[in-house]
Amino acid sequence: MKRRGFLAGAVLAGVTSMWMAAALAAGPVVIDVRSPEEFAAGHVAGAINLPHDQIGSKIAALVPGKDTPVALYCRSGRRSGLALETLRGMGYTKAENYGGYEAASKRLAGGCSAGSKC
């Protein structure tokens, strides 16, 4: 019985790793740094809500790899800028500020190129 539990755990870990690899290959981890209330009112599909003032203490549980691409956005780009400074200070090398909600939505949908203003 213990062996079956071990195998099930190993299979689950493998599936989780494959899913994460596929998700990362599809694009960056998208983090909405607004408040939970703002997030509930509307957000980019697939985004994770992690308020900017909590990002330093909770990012490692969500994005353990410091070379993982991370897209940050908020309402205007100010809070995502603060979050970016925090992540860069922690050693995250591929974090990027996607600005406000609308600009991030367009950029993630392929409507804007990196570095351009949406």
Side-chain angles (χ1 to χ4, degrees):
M1 292 289 176
K2 287 183 181 181
R3 183 166 174 77
R4 191 176 307 168
F6 170 78
L7 290 175
V11 169
L12 179 60
V15 169
T16 301
S17 295
M18 288 172 38
W19 177 83
M20 283 297 289
L24 292 175
V29 175
V30 180
I31 301 178
D32 183 325
V33 300
R34 299 175 301 160
S35 71
E37 295 79 19
E38 290 172 296
F39 184 80
H43 57 272
V44 171
I48 299 165
N49 184 222
L50 184 56
H52 78 285
D53 59 352
Q54 297 175 18
I55 202 157
S57 62
K58 296 185 177 180
I59 189 67
L62 295 171
V63 184
K66 293 189 177 186
D67 61 343
T68 301
V70 176
L72 304 163
Y73 77 91
C74 62
R75 184 176 54 83
S76 66
R78 187 182 78 70
R79 288 175 284 179
S80 50
L82 295 171
L84 178 62
E85 287 179 25
T86 299
L87 293 184
R88 289 214 173 129
M90 295 174 70
Y92 283 84
T93 59
K94 295 185 180 175
E96 214 176 319
N97 182 354
Y98 275 40
Y101 171 72
E102 289 185 29
S105 296
K106 288 178 186 174
R107 186 167 171 191
L108 289 162
C112 297
S113 60
S116 71
K117 284 260 187 196
C118 290

